[in-house]
C-alpha cells in the first residue's frame, strides 16, 4: 500500500512539474508570437532576437558595444530599427526635431524615459531626469550660472587651472621628451574647474597629480551605472529601487555622502557667489528643496561638465596626433595668432576657426555620449521622421550611428575638420545630423561653457608643446568600450616644450 501511495505521489509531482513546464512554454511561445506579429511595433524592422526580447540589447550594453551594434543594425535595416520589443532607434536628421525639438502649441513633449534617467524611483528629480514643468524651474535657476556674464566673471578661475595644467605638464616634460598620460591630466583639469565653478572648492587633482576620492567614485560608477540600468530594464524599476535602498551599493552611499558634504561647505559661502548652483541655493528656502536634491543636481552638473569635456579633449588630441597634417595646420593657426600664452583667453580663442572645426569633427567622430538620449512617445502617439509611432514607445537617435552614417557624411571614418568649414568635397555633408548637446528645450545647458573650456585648454596645450603619440596608443579609440560614456584607457603622449 505504501509503495502504491509513493508511486502515486511521485506521479502527481511529475505531472505537476510537466504541467508547469507546459504552461511556461505556452506563455513563452505566446509572448514571442505577440512581440513578432501582434505588438504595435511589429511592422518595424530589426533582428528577430531583438524584437522578441530585451536581452540582446542588454547584452550589447553590458559588453560596452551598444552604440556600434546599433550603427551596424542601421546599415542593415535602414533608418528605423526595432532594437528591443518596445524601443526604436532612429538614424534620421528629421528625428532630432521630432523627438527632442520644440513642440507646436497643443502638442505634448516626448518625456524623458525614466528607465534610463531615473531607474531608482526613490531618487529626487534633477535637471536631467525631471518632468518638463520641473525642468523649466531648474533651468531658470541654473541659467544665470551659465550666462555670458557669469562666464566672464569665472574666467580667472578657469584660466588659473588651465595655467596650472600647463605648468604641471612642463614639469613632467622637463629635460626633454617625456611621456605622460593625457587622459588623467585632462580629467584632473576639468574636475578641478567644475568643482570650483559649482562648489567654490577645487578637488585638488592638478595640485596633487591624483584623483580626489569623490572623482574616483564618479569614474568607477560610469560602468556600474550602465550595469544597473540593464538590471532595471530586465527585472523592473521596483526591483532596482529595492536593491539600491538596501545599502548593497556602497559606492553610491559614499558618493552621496561626499557630494552632500561638499554642498554643505558651498552653502556656508552664501548664495551671492557667481557660480553654477547659486540660483538653486537662492531658491532653497522658497521651494523647500532638500540638501539631497541640491546635491544630486550639483553632482549631475559636475559629471556632465567634467567627464564629457575631458573625453572630448582626449579624443581631439588622439585624432590630431594620428593625423599629422591636420595637427600641423592647427599648430600654425594657434602659434601665429598669439605671442605668448597670456594672450590666449576665452575671447581670443574665438578667433581660431580651424580649432573650432577640429573640436566639432572630434564631437562627430568621438561623441562623449555615444548612445541615444531616450524619450518616450506621449499618450497621443507621435510621428517621427514620417513614421507613426504608438504611445509608450522608447525612442532615440544614437549619436555614434548618425555621426558615422555615410548618407550624411563624406568619408565618415576619416578625420576631416574641413567639413565644418565648407571646404570642397563636403558640400553634401549634413552638419545638422550631429547634435552632441541634444536639441530643443532640453538641450545641454552647459554647451557654451564646454566649448569655452575646450578651446582654451586645447589652444594652450597646442601652443606650449610638440606632441607625439606613444606606439601602444595607436588604436586608442578602437579599443574602447562605451557604457553611455567611454571607458578610456591611458592616452600616452610624448611631450616636448615648444620653442615658440
Amino acid at each position: 500500500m505504501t509503495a502504491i501511495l509513493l508511486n502515486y505521489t511521485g506521479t502527481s509531482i511529475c505531472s505537476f512539474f510537466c504541467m508547469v513546464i507546459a504552461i511556461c512554454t505556452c506563455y513563452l511561445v505566446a509572448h514571442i508570437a505577440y512581440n513578432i506579429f501582434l505588438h504595435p511595433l511589429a511592422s518595424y524592422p530589426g533582428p528577430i532576437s531583438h524584437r522578441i526580447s530585451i536581452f540582446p540589447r542588454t547584452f550589447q550594453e553590458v559588453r560596452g558595444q551598444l552604440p556600434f551594434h546599433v550603427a551596424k543594425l542601421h546599415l542593415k535595416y535602414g533608418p528605423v530599427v526595432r532594437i528591443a520589443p518596445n524601443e526604436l532607434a532612429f538614424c534620421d536628421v528629421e528625428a532630432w526635431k521630432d523627438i527632442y525639438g520644440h513642440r507646436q502649441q497643443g502638442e505634448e513633449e516626448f518625456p524623458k524615459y525614466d528607465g534610463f534617467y531615473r531607474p531608482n524611483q526613490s531618487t529626487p528629480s534633477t535637471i536631467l531626469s525631471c518632468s518638463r514643468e520641473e525642468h523649466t524651474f531648474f533651468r531658470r535657476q541654473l541659467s544665470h550660472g551659465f550666462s555670458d556674464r557669469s562666464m566672464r566673471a569665472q574666467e580667472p578661475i578657469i584660466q588659473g587651472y588651465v595655467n596650472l595644467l600647463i605648468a604641471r605638464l612642463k614639469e613632467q616634460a622637463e629635460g626633454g621628451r617625456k611621456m605622460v598620460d593625457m587622459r588623467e591630466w585632462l580629467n584632473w583639469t576639468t574636475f578641478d574647474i567644475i568643482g570650483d565653478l559649482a562648489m567654490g572648492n577645487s578637488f585638488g587633482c592638478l595640485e596633487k597629480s591624483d584623483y580626489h576620492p569623490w572623482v574616483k567614485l564618479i569614474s568607477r560608477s560610469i560602468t556600474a551605472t550602465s550595469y544597473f540600468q540593464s538590471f532595471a530594464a530586465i527585472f523592473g524599476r521596483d526591483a532596482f529601487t529595492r536593491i539600491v535602498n538596501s545599502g548593497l551599493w556602497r559606492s553610491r552611499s559614499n558618493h552621496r555622502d561626499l557630494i552632500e558634504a561638499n554642498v554643505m561647505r558651498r552653502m556656508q559661502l552664501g548664495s551671492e557667489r557667481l557660480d553654477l548652483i547659486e540660483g538653486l541655493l537662492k531658491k532653497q528656502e522658497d521651494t523647500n528643496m532638500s540638501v539631497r536634491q541640491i546635491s544630486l543636481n550639483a553632482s549631475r552638473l559636475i559629471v556632465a561638465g567634467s567627464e564629457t569635456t575631458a573625453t572630448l579633449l582626449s579624443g581631439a588630441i588622439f585624432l590630431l596626433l594620428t593625423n599629422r597634417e591636420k595637427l600641423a595646420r592647427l599648430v600654425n593657426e594657434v602659434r601665429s595668432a598669439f605671442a605668448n600664452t597670456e594672450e590666449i583667453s576665452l575671447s581670443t580663442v574665438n578667433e581660431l576657426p580651424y580649432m573650432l572645426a577640429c573640436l566639432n569633427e572630434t564631437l562627430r567622430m568621438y561623441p562623449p555620449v555615444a548612445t541615444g538620449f531616450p524619450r518616450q512617445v506621449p499618450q497621443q502617439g507621435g510621428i517621427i521622421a514620417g513614421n507613426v509611432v504608438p504611445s509608450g514607445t522608447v525612442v532615440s537617435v544614437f549619436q555614434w550611428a548618425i555621426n558615422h552614417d555615410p548618407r550624411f557624411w563624406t568619408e565618415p571614418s576619416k578625420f576631416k575638420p574641413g567639413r565644418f568649414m565648407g571646404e570642397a568635397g563636403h558640400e553634401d555633408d549634413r552638419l545638422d545630423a550631429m547634435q552632441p548637446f541634444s536639441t530643443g528645450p532640453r538641450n545641454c545647458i552647459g554647451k557654451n561653457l564646454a566649448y569655452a573650456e575646450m578651446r582654451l585648454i586645447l589652444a594652450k596645450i597646442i601652443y606650449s608643446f610638440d606632441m607625439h603619440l606613444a606606439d601602444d596608443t595607436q588604436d586608442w579609440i578602437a579599443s574602447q568600450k562605451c557604457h553611455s560614456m567611454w571607458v578610456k584607457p591611458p592616452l600616452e603622449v610624448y611631450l616636448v616644450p615648444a620653442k615658440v
Side-chain angles (χ1 to χ4, degrees), residues 320 323-334 354:
L320 285 165
N323 293 272
R324 302 297 300 186
E325 73 285 358
K326 310 296 191 305
L327 174 63
R329 180 175 173 180
L330 180 58
V331 168
N332 180 65
E333 179 183 69
V334 173
Y354 191 68

Side-chain angles (χ1 to χ4, degrees), residues 275-293:
D275 60 23
L276 304 185
I277 66 169
E278 172 200 15
L280 292 181
L281 295 178
K282 282 184 174 180
K283 282 290 182 180
Q284 184 189 13
E285 292 184 4
D286 297 339
T287 60
N288 293 318
M289 192 182 301
S290 67
V291 172
R292 186 184 179 199
Q293 191 168 23

Side-chain angles (χ1 to χ4, degrees), residues 28 31-33 35-36 47-54 56 82 84-85:
L28 182 61
H31 182 73
I32 290 172
N35 280 342
I36 294 177
I48 290 290
S49 60
H50 291 58
R51 296 158 68 188
I52 289 173
S53 169
I54 197 172
R82 190 179 174 193

Side-chain angles (χ1 to χ4, degrees), residues 226-487:
S226 176
Y227 292 158
F228 280 112
Q229 285 173 334
S230 299
F231 178 92
I234 294 172
F235 298 104
R237 294 173 64 208
D238 288 341
F240 176 78
T241 300
R242 283 195 292 271
I243 286 180
V244 169
N245 293 341
S246 71
L248 293 176
W249 191 358
R250 291 187 178 180
S251 63
R252 179 180 178 274
S253 299
N254 294 336
H255 174 274
R256 186 178 65 192
D257 292 343
L258 282 168
I259 185 60
E260 288 185 5
N262 275 279
V263 166
M264 294 297 290
R265 279 196 293 269
R266 167 61 187 88
M267 291 173 69
Q268 292 172 4
L269 298 176
S271 61
E272 298 304 320
R273 184 181 188 270
L274 284 176
D275 60 23
L276 304 185
I277 66 169
E278 172 200 15
L280 292 181
L281 295 178
K282 282 184 174 180
K283 282 290 182 180
Q284 184 189 13
E285 292 184 4
D286 297 339
T287 60
N288 293 318
M289 192 182 301
S290 67
V291 172
R292 186 184 179 199
Q293 191 168 23
I294 294 175
S295 299
L296 282 170
N297 276 281
S299 175
R300 301 298 184 265
L301 291 176
I302 287 172
V303 174
S306 56
E307 178 67 28
T308 53
T309 303
T311 295
L312 192 281
L313 286 168
S314 298
I317 287 175
F318 170 79
L319 290 167
L320 285 165
L321 296 189
T322 51
N323 293 272
R324 302 297 300 186
E325 73 285 358
K326 310 296 191 305
L327 174 63
R329 180 175 173 180
L330 180 58
V331 168
N332 180 65
E333 179 183 69
V334 173
R335 294 182 185 175
S336 62
F338 306 110
N340 52 62
T341 56
E342 286 71 30
E343 292 184 357
I344 304 176
S345 67
L346 293 181
S347 59
T348 58
V349 290
N350 293 331
E351 301 167 10
L352 303 173
Y354 191 68
M355 168 167 287
L356 178 59
C358 289
L359 290 171
N360 281 331
E361 179 68 343
T362 303
L363 282 167
R364 184 190 70 80
M365 292 196 70
Y366 184 62
V369 181
T371 55
F373 304 114
R375 298 290 185 91
Q376 198 157 20
V377 178
Q379 188 172 2
Q380 65 190 28
I383 298 177
I384 304 173
N387 299 274
V388 178
V389 183
S391 168
T393 305
V394 179
V395 294
S396 65
V397 178
F398 273 70
Q399 302 259 358
W400 179 272
I402 200 167
N403 289 0
H404 290 80
D405 194 314
R407 293 179 300 140
F408 307 125
W409 309 96
T410 305
E411 298 183 293
S413 63
K414 293 187 178 180
F415 183 69
K416 292 193 166 187
R419 73 174 82 242
F420 288 93
M421 301 179 73
E423 292 184 358
H426 297 287
E427 295 85 358
D428 295 330
D429 282 12
R430 291 293 303 270
L431 304 188
D432 56 344
M434 187 185 84
Q435 299 291 343
F437 298 93
S438 192
T439 187
R442 302 191 69 162
N443 69 337
C444 178
I445 193 173
K447 176 180 177 179
N448 292 336
L449 176 61
Y451 266 116
E453 273 190 68
M454 292 187 295
R455 286 169 152 180
L456 184 67
I457 294 171
L458 185 58
K460 291 206 171 190
I461 290 174
I462 292 294
Y463 186 90
S464 303
F465 300 99
D466 294 323
M467 296 180 287
H468 295 272
L469 204 62
D471 291 340
D472 57 358
T473 314
Q474 297 295 325
D475 296 323
W476 187 72
I477 290 179
S479 66
Q480 292 181 41
K481 295 181 178 181
C482 182
H483 300 280
S484 294
M485 291 189 283
W486 298 90
V487 182

